[in-house]
Amino acid sequence: MRADRYTAVMITTTTPAPPREAPPSAPTAEQLARWDREHVWHAFTQMQEYEPLLIERGSGAWLVDTAGRRYIDGSASMWCVVHGHRHPRLDRALVEQAGRVAHTTNLGLSNPTTVALARRLVEVAPAGLEKVFFSDDGSTAIEAALKMAFQFWLQADPPRPARRRFVALDDAYHGDTLGAVGVGGVDRFTDLFAPLTFEAIRLPVPMERGSTMVRAVDAAACLARLEALLAAEGDSIAAVVMEPLVQAAGGILVHPPGFLAAVRRVTAAHGVLLILDEVATGFGRTGRMFACDHEGVVPDFLCLAKGLTAGYLPMAATLTTQRVWNAFLGSHGDRRTFFHGHTYGGNPLAAAVALESLAIFDDRHVLKHVTEIAGRLADHLARIARLEHVGAVRQCGLLAGIELVADRDPLTAYPWEERRGARACLEARRHGVLLRPLGDVVAIVPPLCISADELDLLATAVEAGIVAATA
Ligand SMILES: Cc1ncc(COP(=O)(O)O)c(C=O)c1O
């Protein structure tokens, strides 16, 4: 009998097993740091200057590095860890789902956990957003919205193929995939790639208080520009895309109250779609579940990611309306399908954690806590604002930015190559707080669960960091 692969394996198991190699010992912290420098290409990082810091574990608002040093996670690990690290309920939800199935595709197939999450998202989102398209990161949530908006007008009744341009704000940040870069407005991230993207029509940032970072105008002037644009060219515009209330990565640029609602009114009046990017502001960050809840605004597309899975797994969702959905219906031959998707979109492990995270929002009065603790942060910021080289402080809920300036009168930026913001954050690290700057803005974006004592520690470290970096 000819041995096939399986019988051959059985035969070899009857011969004495070769002596086992000793398992390799775990790499030391020094080795890991070296390998990190040698092999890992870090995002938004000049690798020639990179100094490794390896985080080994976390708990609540705290992170611990490989040397056992403890830090408050002042950036919520890039703004997504909402309930803190190693939350027992989230850990359990993840393990329980892994015991059922880790991944099933959502291309023409479904699973109970992802369906339940879609249902729950529709319940917590502003009324009218009933359809959920899952992807895996903030950028992909935006890409999906841009492509859906574009395709919607091709298939609307009657079709409006001329509506194909997008309006976005200066200094907006919507992610790093090419469509998202096209609507992004932070020059240092987008200029280089401009030849690869489409160009959006830009509006100035509506922000009345001074900043060295942006060409800001007051909200009325910005709205007047939008109204004039849509009156003259609305028939060629697919959608306005914006971060509601706060342009986060642009430097925590806080819009005045009422601006968002006014944008909704103007876009609706001209039949232009509104895409709200709540990747940074969503899931409690501003004190409401979504920033648009503050002004009772219902967009045509709501883009969610980051806090959706509380920092556990990559997952994003683009929510939209029955009206948009209807434009995509038809038989296969009608070619109205949305031909777009991502392998891990709707992943059930991520969905299980997201569902449990939403349950924690319900059970633990998270939003009430955010409002209270944001008040305490405001007190700290008022003190920090008096420092000689603080040009402005901006805050919306637990999203705050402190802008460092060479001079306050007239407002003068530091030369960018001095990297004062980065230096302030490195100094704060010596006081046990991890932060990530946005140029010369020190951003404070802690886990929503941060306690009053932890916030006090954080603020003290931020203040010490700024004093040292601007001395
Ligand atoms: C408002 C906003 N949109 C989109 C993104 C991109 O998200 P991701 O990095 O998950 O692709 C970010 C990331 O910081 C963001 O702040």
Side-chain angles (χ1 to χ4, degrees):
M1 191 181 82
R2 212 161 59 84
D4 61 20
R5 278 178 58 216
Y6 300 101
T7 50
V9 168
M10 284 171 62
I11 289 161
T12 55
T13 56
T14 58
T15 56
R20 283 206 164 179
E21 266 183 41
S25 54
T28 63
E30 289 72 27
Q31 272 174 322
L32 288 166
R34 184 158 50 78
W35 295 345
D36 186 22
R37 250 204 227 96
E38 284 175 5
H39 304 301
V40 184
W41 192 336
H42 289 266
F44 282 92
T45 303
Q46 175 43 258
M47 292 311 298
Q48 189 172 303
E49 297 170 353
Y50 171 66
E51 287 297 334
L53 174 67
L54 277 71
I55 300 299
E56 199 172 57
R57 58 206 145 86
S59 174
W62 293 86
L63 292 170
V64 184
D65 71 11
T66 44
R69 285 182 294 250
R70 284 162 52 78
Y71 308 89
I72 291 183
D73 185 356
S75 74
S77 293
M78 250 7 265
W79 313 350
C80 57
V81 175
V82 292
H83 305 303
H85 297 275
R86 296 272 351 249
H87 194 291
R89 286 176 59 176
L90 300 179
D91 286 5
R92 204 175 318 121
L94 182 60
V95 170
E96 280 174 14
Q97 179 61 43
R100 294 192 287 274
V101 65
H103 182 61
T104 63
T105 179
N106 83 343
L107 276 64
L109 201 73
S110 206
N111 77 83
T113 315
T114 306
V115 174
L117 173 62
R119 175 78 188 173
R120 190 74 196 110
L121 282 173
V122 168
E123 283 166 2
V124 296
L129 295 168
E130 294 171 4
K131 312 294 172 185
V132 185
F133 183 90
F134 286 110
S135 60
D136 39 30
D137 263 302
S139 312
T140 58
I142 297 293
E143 294 289 336
L146 296 174
K147 287 174 75 175
M148 279 179 181
F150 174 81
Q151 190 173 342
F152 167 79
W153 289 116
L154 295 177
Q155 299 174 180
D157 184 16
R160 308 289 297 272
R163 283 194 182 263
R164 51 189 304 169
R165 298 193 297 163
F166 291 90
V167 178
L169 290 170
D170 276 342
D171 290 278
Y173 180 74
H174 298 294
D176 297 327
T177 52
L178 289 177
V181 169
V183 287
V186 181
D187 295 349
R188 62 187 184 283
F189 304 155
T190 57
D191 276 3
L192 181 72
F193 300 110
L196 302 181
T197 65
F198 59 86
E199 201 180 330
I201 305 167
R202 298 254 153 241
L203 292 175
V205 177
M207 205 175 69
E208 275 135 49
R209 300 278 297 281
S211 165
T212 61
M213 306 184 53
V214 293
R215 293 176 305 271
V217 297
D218 64 41
C222 183
L223 281 169
R225 295 264 286 270
L226 177 64
E227 279 200 279
L229 173 70
L230 298 194
E233 302 176 47
D235 286 348
S236 69
I237 291 167
V240 171
V241 50
M242 63 182 272
E243 299 160 79
L245 265 52
V246 188
Q247 294 180 229
I252 317 290
L253 310 173
V254 181
H255 298 168
F259 177 74
L260 173 62
V263 170
R264 175 70 285 189
R265 275 196 301 279
V266 175
T267 50
H270 292 275
V272 168
L273 299 171
L274 178 62
I275 300 172
L276 290 186
D277 176 351
E278 294 236 21
V279 171
T281 52
F283 299 102
R285 179 60 58 196
T286 66
R288 302 290 292 267
M289 190 54 117
F290 302 111
C292 59
D293 293 336
H294 288 272
E295 302 199 2
V297 163
V298 184
D300 299 285
F301 296 93
L302 180 66
C303 301
L304 307 172
K306 289 196 188 281
L308 171 57
T309 62
Y312 270 60
L313 285 163
M315 176 177 247
T318 304
L319 275 63
T320 190
T321 59
Q322 184 74 47
R323 174 181 175 230
V324 169
W325 163 281
N326 285 348
F328 288 75
L329 298 181
S331 72
H332 181 68
D334 293 338
R335 293 178 176 269
R336 298 168 79 86
T337 307
F338 187 48
F339 284 115
H340 177 104
H342 298 275
T343 304
Y344 283 97
N347 171 267
L349 288 177
V353 178
L355 259 177
E356 190 61 19
S357 170
L358 289 171
I360 294 171
F361 271 101
D362 288 342
D363 305 345
R364 300 298 310 272
H365 307 296
V366 174
L367 300 180
K368 185 164 167 278
H369 175 72
V370 171
T371 305
E372 284 164 11
I373 207 85
R376 197 175 183 98
L377 177 58
D379 294 341
H380 285 297
L381 290 173
R383 185 182 71 252
I384 291 171
R386 291 195 287 273
L387 294 176
E388 190 187 344
H389 290 285
V390 170
V393 296
R394 297 183 283 268
Q395 183 194 7
C396 181
L398 277 184
L399 194 51
I402 304 164
E403 184 172 333
L404 308 183
V405 292
D407 217 318
R408 294 217 282 204
D409 195 12
L411 212 55
T412 312
Y414 279 113
W416 66 272
E417 60 278 14
E418 288 183 12
R419 305 182 71 225
R420 299 289 179 141
R423 281 159 64 181
C425 293
L426 274 179
E427 290 289 341
R429 190 183 288 188
R430 291 170 0 109
H431 296 267
V433 170
L434 289 181
L435 296 164
R436 176 122 189 121
L438 301 163
D440 278 346
V441 171
V442 177
I444 302 180
V445 194
L448 305 186
C449 67
I450 194 166
S451 70
D453 289 348
E454 290 164 341
L455 186 78
D456 295 349
L457 286 175
L458 186 153
T460 307
V462 166
E463 189 171 359
I466 291 174
V467 168
T470 56

